[in-house]
Amino acid sequence: MSERDSGSSDRARAGSRGKASGQASFGAFVRKPVERPDDKAKASVANAASEAAEMRAETAASWPADAIEVGAIVDAYGLKGWVKVAAHADAGQGGDALLSAKRWWLLKGQERRSAPSLHAKTHGDSVVASLGGITDRDAALAWRGCRVYISRSEFPALGADEFYWVDLIGLDVVNLAGLNLGKVAGMIDNSVQSVLRVEYPATDKSGKPVAGERLIPFVGVYVKTVDQAAKQIVVDWEADY
């Protein structure tokens, strides 16, 4: 008798003895394959990838401390769940973060969610994207009006003498004589150049405190240094300009 036949006979006799003793037979069985360590690792990676591809609920505590609002979902795009986003800024000013970020943070009313960006591209003057967890047009339409945030750490790196607008807001503006001209309250794009909108404390004709405003072109002839570590911009600009 071959070794295979011997094994088959042994299984049959084991079933017969079970029946003879009044016990239920377990029948034939297949031995469970030995699980190798690399199998567990592959399963873990697969599970992590599956979870990362889904939208998830977030709270104020899990929201990134460096989250920057970069746009809003204004419509659905196509039939497969893509969304259309109106970016708050153009490329180089924070808008391109929508194209490179791996995860978008979504806020609609009090509801907070985050979703992986599976694919994003420019489309005319907007950005369209496929997000994990949004699989059809109806689901995409349900997110209209949602504000989109990106973690500042996911903004694309810039070259020398390039700055994101969000990094300039709040910096002190000082002229070459050391006079503080105020703080950057915002930026303006006049289609020719970027302009610093600098606010400073002032008073109106009645002596009531108001916020004064200076507009300084963000160009090399006026802006001499930007020191983000010192939170200061030095400009060639006089207080009475």
Side-chain angles (χ1 to χ4, degrees):
M1 181 185 295
S2 68
E3 186 176 351
R4 180 187 304 175
D5 290 339
S6 175
S8 175
S9 177
D10 287 344
R11 286 198 296 274
R13 286 199 298 271
S16 298
R17 285 197 295 270
K19 290 179 180 179
S21 60
Q23 297 175 350
S25 171
F26 289 99
F29 64 93
V30 177
R31 188 176 65 176
K32 181 180 179 181
V34 176
E35 191 174 53
R36 300 186 301 275
D38 59 330
D39 291 335
K40 290 184 177 181
K42 290 177 181 177
S44 177
V45 170
N47 290 337
S50 177
E51 291 177 2
E54 295 300 319
M55 180 180 289
R56 68 189 185 208
E58 302 291 350
T59 65
S62 64
W63 203 255
D66 63 346
I68 304 295
E69 184 176 346
V70 294
I73 295 177
V74 294
D75 205 352
Y77 176 75
L79 303 176
K80 297 183 179 181
W82 283 54
V83 296
K84 183 178 181 180
V85 180
H88 292 337
D90 296 329
Q93 300 163 356
D96 44 0
L98 285 164
L99 303 178
S100 61
K102 295 180 180 179
R103 181 163 290 271
W104 290 14
W105 301 79
L106 311 175
L107 180 62
K108 187 174 185 181
Q110 299 300 313
E111 183 179 6
R112 295 174 184 263
R113 299 271 178 169
S114 72
S117 176
L118 306 179
H119 189 73
K121 62 182 181 180
T122 56
H123 180 71
D125 59 354
S126 61
V127 173
V128 294
S130 171
L131 304 179
I134 303 179
T135 57
D136 57 47
R137 184 175 179 83
D138 289 340
L141 288 172
W143 284 98
R144 280 187 298 186
C146 169
R147 295 153 65 185
V148 180
Y149 292 75
I150 300 297
S151 173
R152 176 64 184 82
S153 62
E154 287 206 78
F155 278 41
L158 296 177
D161 294 326
E162 291 184 318
F163 307 90
Y164 284 116
W165 284 11
V166 67
D167 294 334
L168 300 178
I169 295 174
L171 299 189
D172 289 315
V173 178
V174 180
N175 69 9
L176 295 174
L179 180 66
N180 193 311
L181 301 179
K183 289 182 180 290
V184 180
M187 300 290 294
I188 300 172
D189 185 354
N190 64 10
S191 76
V192 176
Q193 61 197 8
S194 298
V195 179
L196 296 169
R197 186 170 64 82
V198 181
E199 288 188 352
Y200 61 94
T203 56
D204 61 15
K205 294 180 180 179
S206 65
K208 181 180 178 181
V210 295
E213 182 179 85
R214 293 185 173 96
L215 300 179
I216 305 175
F218 193 69
V219 293
V221 66
Y222 299 120
V223 178
K224 298 308 178 183
T225 61
V226 177
D227 190 336
Q228 290 180 263
K231 299 185 182 300
Q232 185 179 87
I233 299 174
V234 176
V235 297
D236 185 2
W237 198 266
E238 298 302 326
D240 56 355
Y241 283 3

